[in-house]
């Protein structure tokens, strides 16, 4: 009905968070550049948050298309067919709180898995090949 | 069927991305994120559907299967359209800039 709204809300929050982190990291990078000469292989956290926002935006976009396919979205106010009647509206809210939230949690869990895997790779000793890549 | 088609598309895109990694000039990673994101969301939806329908979930009617397959293919095609539009706008190979 409107379960994709929950991941969209999370996508907005993660995009804003990534922007804020990016500006903070740029500021700290500039101050470190003068003293630090050793380059690390670590992926900055803002880029990792971007992974989450890309997963959420991409998934929500295709899910919105599915809702359009099933005529659950319309191009005029209130945009959601379920929001037209109070009975269907309460069903929509229930679906958002169950299916929508679990969708967001599934994507976030997959992202946490990605963080763990990338963390393991970052901790590995650097080979000659990876040093040359830097 | 929608979930299956999207997962297959996500796997194919991930393989293409991995083949060219770490280079990503064609922005294949965008397709990977889009299809994996949708697959994860449809997976969560499928879990809820399974909890309601139980064994009926695995024996859909032919009409539902064809409709879901058509939806899955259309979703994959829409993702490709979005990707190609973004690719042409960003123009990572600077083809249009060279022409001008």
């Amino acid at each position: 009905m409107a379960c994709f709204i929950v991941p969209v809300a999370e996508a907005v929050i993660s995009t804003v968070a990534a922007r804020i982190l990016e500006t903070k990291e740029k500021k700290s990078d500039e101050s470190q550049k003068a003293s630090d000469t050793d380059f690390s292989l670590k992926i900055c956290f803002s880029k990792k948050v971007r992974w989450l926002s890309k997963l959420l935006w991409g998934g929500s976009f295709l899910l919105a298309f599915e809702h359009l396919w099933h005529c659950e979205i319309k191009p005029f106010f209130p945009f959601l067919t379920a929001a037209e009647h109070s009975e269907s509206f309460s069903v929509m809210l229930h679906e958002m709180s169950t299916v929508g939230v679990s969708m967001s949690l599934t994507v976030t869990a997959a992202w946490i898995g990605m963080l763990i895997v990338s963390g393991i790779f970052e901790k590995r000793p650097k080979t000659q090949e990876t040093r040359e890549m830097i | 069927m929608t979930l299956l088609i999207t997962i297959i598309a996500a796997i194919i895109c991930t393989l293409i991305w991995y083949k060219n990694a770490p280079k990503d000039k064609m922005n294949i990673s965008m397709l990977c994120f889009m299809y994996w994101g949708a697959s994860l969301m449809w997976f969560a939806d499928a879990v809820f559907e399974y909890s309601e329908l139980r064994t009926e979930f695995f024996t859909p009617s032919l009409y539902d299967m064809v409709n879901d397959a058509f939806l899955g293919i259309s979703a994959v095609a829409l993702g490709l359209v979005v990707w190609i539009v973004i690719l042409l706008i960003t123009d990572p190979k600077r083809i249009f800039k060279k022409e001008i």
Side-chain angles (χ1 to χ4, degrees):
Chain A
M1 280 185 160
C3 47
F4 72 98
I5 289 174
V6 182
V8 166
E10 196 188 342
V12 171
I13 294 164
S14 62
T15 308
V16 172
R19 280 270 167 93
I20 294 165
L21 281 166
E22 252 173 24
T23 49
K24 276 187 179 177
E25 280 168 356
K26 270 184 188 173
K27 278 179 187 173
S28 63
D29 271 3
E30 281 167 10
S31 57
Q32 269 190 337
K33 262 183 186 176
S35 58
D36 196 13
T37 50
D38 181 40
F39 297 101
S40 64
L41 263 180
K42 272 195 171 181
I43 303 166
C44 47
F45 194 66
S46 64
K47 198 176 179 184
K48 289 175 180 174
V49 178
R50 279 241 178 269
W51 295 345
L52 177 66
S53 66
K54 280 177 184 175
L55 277 172
L56 288 164
W57 278 121
S60 308
F61 173 70
L62 291 184
L63 229 74
F65 172 69
E66 188 220 328
H67 285 71
L68 197 71
W69 183 279
H70 291 129
C71 301
E72 289 168 350
I73 298 176
K74 55 183 186 176
F76 42 85
F77 191 80
F79 305 106
L80 301 162
T81 46
E84 285 175 337
H85 310 286
S86 58
E87 287 168 20
S88 55
F89 187 72
S90 60
V91 175
M92 183 189 85
L93 287 180
H94 179 258
E95 201 188 273
M96 278 169 70
S97 61
T98 52
V99 185
V101 170
S102 58
M103 278 174 177
S104 287
L105 288 176
T106 311
V107 175
T108 312
W111 175 68
I112 291 166
M114 284 167 74
L115 291 187
I116 293 166
V117 172
S118 69
I120 292 165
F121 278 110
E122 282 167 10
K123 278 177 188 169
R124 274 187 183 176
K126 291 162 208 169
T127 59
Q128 188 62 39
E129 199 182 329
T130 50
R131 278 196 192 115
E132 280 167 7
M133 272 170 58
I134 303 165
Chain B
M1 281 299 272
T2 314
L3 173 64
L4 265 175
I5 290 166
T6 324
I7 286 177
I8 291 165
I11 290 169
I12 292 167
C13 289
T14 310
L15 286 173
I16 296 167
W17 167 80
Y18 189 76
K19 195 173 172 255
N20 301 313
K23 285 178 186 169
D24 189 27
K25 258 197 167 177
M26 298 292 280
N27 207 6
I28 301 286
S29 61
M30 194 201 106
L31 274 178
C32 295
F33 281 119
M34 197 191 299
Y35 292 146
W36 279 121
S39 301
L40 288 165
M41 287 178 193
W42 272 319
F43 172 74
D45 193 37
V47 169
F48 272 89
E49 211 175 316
Y50 173 75
S51 68
E52 279 175 24
L53 300 171
R54 296 284 165 185
T55 50
E56 266 181 64
F57 177 78
F58 297 106
T59 51
S61 66
L62 186 68
Y63 173 80
D64 287 340
M65 254 172 73
V66 172
N67 187 43
D68 277 359
F70 196 33
L71 170 63
I73 293 164
S74 304
V76 171
L78 182 71
L80 287 170
V81 167
V82 170
W83 168 72
I84 205 94
V85 167
I86 291 172
L87 189 77
L88 292 176
I89 291 169
T90 52
D91 190 20
K93 284 191 162 183
R94 310 270 174 202
I95 302 291
F96 298 121
K97 280 195 176 175
K98 278 175 195 169
E99 294 260 325
I100 295 162

